[in-house]
């Protein structure tokens, strides 16, 4: 049986509307991409079985994500293997930086402004810009601190440099991002995972399967918040902003789970060539200080 804090997190997941597709995205971005980017469907089915999610639900979600252009499928005999398509790889790379890299410490006083006039182009670029850290004060207008990378989906927009005094900058930010909602989500995240943090600090032993489950659910919850957080410099944020303590908590739990969760992947993760390849050094640097 999973430890009580993890059981409560799993029970909460079961009480939410189906998020199987979102969980699959988390599994790929957090665990499969560092191990080569391809995985056997059976590996996914085994993980989701531990969450009492039916295999047919997983197959349906994979088919939908493939039809939407996230994955491509290959078959070896009767076995299906899934890999991110090129556009998905680019989106995941931007999200990976946003989730795991250190946040900025200083503000230069400047912003990136991006104007996208055509409605169809704007629709295609909106999610990519949001995942890259851009907010939107007006339709077709996107803003982020200077130096924020513009995703490929939005390269056709008009890019401008702008500057603002701190007071004006805070007003612009308040109109561009729902910071109060994000702050509340961070506080809820910490309340959910603080018991697991306490459990791990007591060095209570988790099985490798539980470590992998806990790692995926941790990032599943965290990424849904942090990808909507522009990761602004402290100078522009409200006092007592909970984003930084939430990142510290997430990083501590993640590092405590990493060894056991990677052992689970070593034992159960499979691609077309057999066992998944080892992860590179970048995995160990996640949630570092730079």
């Amino acid at each position: 049986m999973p430890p009580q804090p993890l059981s409560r997190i799993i029970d909460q997941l079961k009480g939410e509307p189906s998020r199987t597709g979102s969980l699959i995205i988390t599994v790929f971005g957090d665990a499969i991409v560092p191990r080569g980017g391809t995985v056997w469907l059976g590996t996914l089915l085994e993980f989701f079985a531990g969450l009492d999610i039916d295999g047919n639900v997983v197959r349906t979600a994979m088919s939908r994500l493939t039809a939407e252009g996230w994955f491509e499928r290959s078959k070896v005999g009767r076995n299906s293997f899934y890999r991110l398509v090129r556009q998905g790889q680019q989106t995941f790379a931007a999200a990976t930086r946003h989730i795991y890299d250190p946040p900025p410490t200083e503000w230069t006083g400047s912003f990136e402004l991006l104007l996208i006039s055509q409605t169809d182009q704007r629709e295609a670029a909106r999610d990519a810009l949001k995942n890259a850290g851009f907010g939107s004060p007006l339709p077709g207008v996107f803003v982020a601190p200077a130096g924020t990378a513009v995703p490929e989906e939005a390269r056709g927009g008009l890019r401008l440099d702008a500057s603002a005094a701190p007071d004006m900058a805070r007003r612009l930010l308040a109109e561009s991002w729902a910071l109060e909602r994000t702050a509340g989500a961070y506080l809820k995240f910490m309340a959910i995972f603080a018991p697991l943090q306490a459990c791990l600090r007591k060095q209570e032993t988790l099985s490798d399967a539980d470590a992998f489950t806990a790692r995926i659910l941790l990032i599943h919850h965290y990424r849904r918040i942090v990808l909507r957080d522009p990761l602004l410099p402290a100078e522009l944020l409200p006092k007592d902003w909970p984003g930084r303590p939430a990142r510290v908590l997430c990083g501590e739990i993640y590092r405590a789970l990493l060894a056991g969760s990677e052992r689970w992947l070593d034992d159960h993760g499979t691609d077309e060539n057999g066992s998944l390849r080892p992860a590179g050094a970048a995995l160990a640097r996640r949630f570092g200080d730079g």
Side-chain angles (χ1 to χ4, degrees):
M1 289 289 293
Q4 190 176 27
L6 179 56
S7 294
R8 285 199 294 266
I9 295 167
I10 293 172
D11 289 342
Q12 179 174 328
L13 177 75
K14 292 176 182 177
E16 296 179 355
S18 177
R19 295 190 179 274
T20 305
S22 181
L23 273 168
I24 289 169
I25 295 294
T26 301
V27 172
F28 264 84
D30 183 72
I32 303 304
V33 170
R35 305 288 296 254
T38 302
V39 71
W40 175 42
L41 177 62
T43 299
L44 297 175
L45 293 175
E46 183 173 354
F47 163 69
F48 279 100
L51 297 174
D52 293 328
I53 295 177
D54 185 78
N56 289 329
V57 174
V58 179
R59 291 184 180 90
T60 299
M62 288 302 305
S63 296
R64 184 177 67 250
L65 289 167
T66 301
E68 291 173 356
W70 282 98
F71 301 113
E72 56 187 9
R73 186 182 74 160
S74 61
K75 296 203 73 172
V76 178
R78 298 179 62 184
N79 295 325
S80 295
F81 299 86
Y82 289 88
R83 173 182 290 276
L84 283 172
V85 299
R86 181 173 177 272
Q87 182 174 334
Q89 292 171 359
Q90 294 168 343
T91 301
F92 271 50
T96 294
R97 291 190 296 270
H98 201 86
I99 295 167
Y100 305 104
D101 286 1
T105 56
E106 296 181 357
W107 180 50
T108 64
S110 300
F111 290 98
E112 304 275 2
L113 281 179
L114 197 65
L115 308 181
I116 301 179
S117 58
Q118 298 180 10
T119 302
D120 55 347
Q121 186 181 11
R122 190 161 66 234
E123 291 294 329
R126 181 180 298 162
D127 287 345
L129 285 165
K130 188 179 295 184
N131 287 344
F134 281 79
S136 181
L138 295 167
V141 180
F142 299 89
V143 60
T148 303
V150 177
E152 185 171 316
E153 294 90 336
R155 294 283 168 83
L158 177 62
R159 187 173 179 177
L160 303 171
D161 293 327
S163 60
D167 287 346
M168 180 62 72
R170 292 189 190 96
R171 288 176 55 189
L172 176 62
L173 300 178
E175 295 173 359
S176 302
W177 289 280
L179 292 180
E180 289 187 6
R181 187 193 312 166
T182 302
Y186 275 132
L187 292 172
K188 182 179 179 181
F189 168 80
M190 288 190 285
I192 291 171
F193 283 92
L196 180 60
Q197 179 190 42
C199 171
L200 294 169
R201 282 181 172 178
K202 294 176 184 175
Q203 297 185 329
E204 295 186 20
T205 302
L206 270 67
S207 69
D208 292 347
D210 285 344
F212 186 75
T213 297
R215 169 181 163 184
I216 295 302
L217 296 184
L218 175 76
I219 298 302
H220 176 65
H221 281 75
Y222 184 70
R223 77 171 180 87
R224 286 154 57 188
I225 308 168
V226 75
L227 289 181
R228 287 164 174 76
D229 181 349
L231 301 182
L232 300 169
E235 182 180 359
L236 300 179
L237 289 167
K239 293 181 179 178
D240 301 321
W241 177 249
R244 293 188 185 273
R247 182 181 189 275
V248 170
L249 178 145
C250 188
E252 179 182 330
I253 296 174
Y254 192 85
R255 287 188 292 272
L257 297 170
L258 193 57
S261 62
E262 287 295 295
R263 283 195 299 269
W264 188 88
L265 283 170
D266 288 339
D267 293 339
H268 300 269
T270 303
D271 62 18
E272 302 102 317
N273 300 312
S275 298
L276 297 178
R277 71 180 68 170
L283 182 67
R285 293 196 295 267
R286 287 179 171 179
F287 294 106
D289 296 326

